[in-house]
Amino acid sequence: MSLKDAATREAVLKTLLDAVKAEYDQARAETQTLLDAASEETGTRQVAVGIPDGPDIATVSLSSGEAAAKVTDADLFTKWVVTNYSSEVTRRLVTEVQPAFTKKLLDEITAIGTGEWADANGVLHEVPGVAMAPARARTHSVRFKKDGRDQVMAAWRAGRLNGVVLPELTAGGAE
């Protein structure tokens, strides 16, 4: 293959990849919105999906987000640590809490899950400047059946996805 042929192939595939990626991102966002709504309205958390005139190829499932403690007001947090755990503070021109202590507190607050921290005596403290916040957004996953991807490719090659996904890219799509 010549350099010109290889570069042409790359440019064409890049164009197609960008078009598919944009459509995929839009479809993923729409699926997430509809899954969130279905979960709230009916408790539905997954759906089997198939291709036209074909078998189910995958299951799309909602996965919950996770919450973790994070410092939301560094000044309040630092003042609290200075007052209660001064040995965990490094003083320079700026007062800052030692990163290891911050990590320890946040990990323990996350484990408790209520936004509170238990000291060595088991006493719970509400730590100013720290709150539980989403650490990972709620999302969903697509799990293909054993031959699901092969089924999609066969349907693509046979032109059975016309009007379903990227009609302008499918065989026999818009001219």
Side-chain angles (χ1 to χ4, degrees):
M1 179 178 289
S2 72
L3 172 59
K4 184 171 178 83
D5 291 343
T8 299
R9 181 171 184 258
E10 179 185 359
V12 169
L13 290 172
K14 173 80 171 111
T15 300
L16 296 173
L17 180 65
D18 291 347
V20 170
K21 173 77 167 98
E23 288 294 322
Y24 172 78
D25 289 346
Q26 182 179 346
R28 185 163 177 80
E30 184 176 1
T31 300
Q32 186 65 48
T33 298
L34 293 170
L35 270 172
D36 287 340
S39 177
E40 284 185 32
E41 293 169 12
T42 65
T44 300
R45 298 186 54 81
Q46 70 179 18
V47 61
V49 294
I51 51 180
D53 302 322
D56 285 349
I57 55 158
T59 302
V60 176
S61 303
L62 186 63
S63 58
S64 300
E66 295 176 357
K70 61 174 39 173
V71 174
T72 56
D73 186 324
D75 291 337
L76 277 175
F77 175 69
T78 300
K79 286 177 188 174
W80 180 82
V81 175
V82 166
T83 301
N84 295 283
Y85 297 91
S86 61
S87 64
E88 298 297 335
V89 173
T90 302
R91 294 194 187 268
R92 297 184 189 122
L93 293 176
V94 177
T95 301
E96 60 184 29
V97 178
Q98 294 181 38
F101 186 69
T102 298
K103 181 181 180 334
K104 175 184 185 259
L105 276 177
L106 295 179
D107 287 350
E108 290 177 10
I109 291 169
T110 297
I112 292 171
T114 63
E116 297 176 311
W117 176 68
D119 65 18
N121 297 317
V123 177
L124 286 178
H125 299 272
E126 187 165 327
V127 181
V130 174
M132 293 297 290
R136 190 184 83 192
R138 188 172 178 172
T139 189
H140 64 275
S141 63
V142 177
R143 290 184 319 274
F144 284 92
K145 293 186 179 286
K146 184 178 178 182
D147 65 345
R149 291 177 188 269
D150 294 336
Q151 294 283 341
V152 171
M153 292 308 297
W156 177 272
R157 289 183 188 107
R160 293 195 345 250
L161 298 181
N162 291 347
V164 177
V165 179
L166 289 174
E168 65 275 10
L169 295 180
T170 55
E175 294 152 31

